[in-house]
Amino acid sequence: MTAEEYSALYRKSPDKAYRQLFEEYCGYVYAVVYNKLRSTASREDIEECVSDVFTDIYFNYNTESVYKGDMHGYVSTVAKRKAVDMYRRITARSAHYTETDDDSISMIHSDYDIEHDFDRADSQRQLINAVKSLGEPDSTILIQKFYYDRTSSEIAELLSMKSASVRMRCTRALKKLGEILGKSDITL
């Protein structure tokens, strides 16, 4: 549909012009809006935005315009702008923080245990510090063996040592580490 055809039909019957424009461009407008809002908006929000696009066209299109081209560009521009406006409204709404009262906090149920996670993180920090306190090459041997799951021969090649030496140092380092962690009440 060209702008000229739409304007002529609008002068005869605004309802028919609107209906024909809607039938011709509804799928296209929906696709444009959906592509802009699919990650943030609900289906109802998308449908509302499509309705807003056609409402805007119906009330704001100047039928006396000298533009004679296809309506596709105009409809596309309105659809993209309305979709961006809707996106901004939705993201602004979700960004607001609402303060809750103490009664509603007690109703929130979560399997997330903050105290347990803090204790675990603290234990991990102490373990890393204890491993680092062993010095080189013992700390590297333990990290490579237990964190990266490397064999003694791989570690030996990495550190330019013999496999037997790596195994012996690993055994001794674990014994020292156990003593250090025993003082902190952490067991392996």
Side-chain angles (χ1 to χ4, degrees), residues 95-165:
H96 289 303
Y97 172 77
T98 56
E99 194 170 319
T100 57
D101 58 351
D102 291 336
D103 294 336
S104 62
I105 296 255
S106 65
M107 294 172 42
I108 297 173
H109 180 322
S110 174
D111 292 335
Y112 186 70
D113 186 0
I114 295 171
E115 185 177 352
H116 174 354
D117 287 349
F118 178 79
D119 288 342
R120 183 174 175 183
D122 188 48
S123 297
Q124 288 173 344
R125 182 185 50 76
Q126 288 178 6
L127 177 62
I128 291 294
N129 288 338
V131 169
K132 285 180 181 177
S133 73
L134 294 174
E136 289 297 329
D138 293 345
S139 61
T140 301
I141 291 171
L142 290 181
I143 290 171
Q144 293 294 322
K145 176 111 177 131
F146 295 105
Y147 186 76
Y148 292 109
D149 200 27
R150 295 212 168 113
T151 63
S152 295
S153 58
E154 290 173 329
I155 298 169
E157 187 177 323
L158 180 73
L159 297 176
S160 302
M161 296 174 71
K162 294 182 180 177
S163 293
S165 299

Side-chain angles (χ1 to χ4, degrees), residues 15 28 38 58 61 65 72 76 102 153-154 161 173 175-176 178:
D15 288 338
Y28 175 73
R38 67 177 164 208
Y58 183 74
Y61 183 74
S65 150
H72 183 80
S76 174
D102 291 336
S153 58
E154 290 173 329
M161 296 174 71
K175 185 176 179 184
K176 279 193 232 175

Side-chain angles (χ1 to χ4, degrees), residues 49-62:
C49 188
V50 170
S51 297
D52 290 347
V53 168
F54 284 103
T55 302
D56 189 63
I57 292 169
Y58 183 74
F59 287 114
N60 296 322
Y61 183 74
N62 183 4

Side-chain angles (χ1 to χ4, degrees), residues 165-178:
S165 299
V166 169
R167 283 191 293 277
M168 182 59 72
R169 290 197 78 106
C170 184
T171 304
R172 290 178 183 160
L174 281 174
K175 185 176 179 184
K176 279 193 232 175
L177 184 63

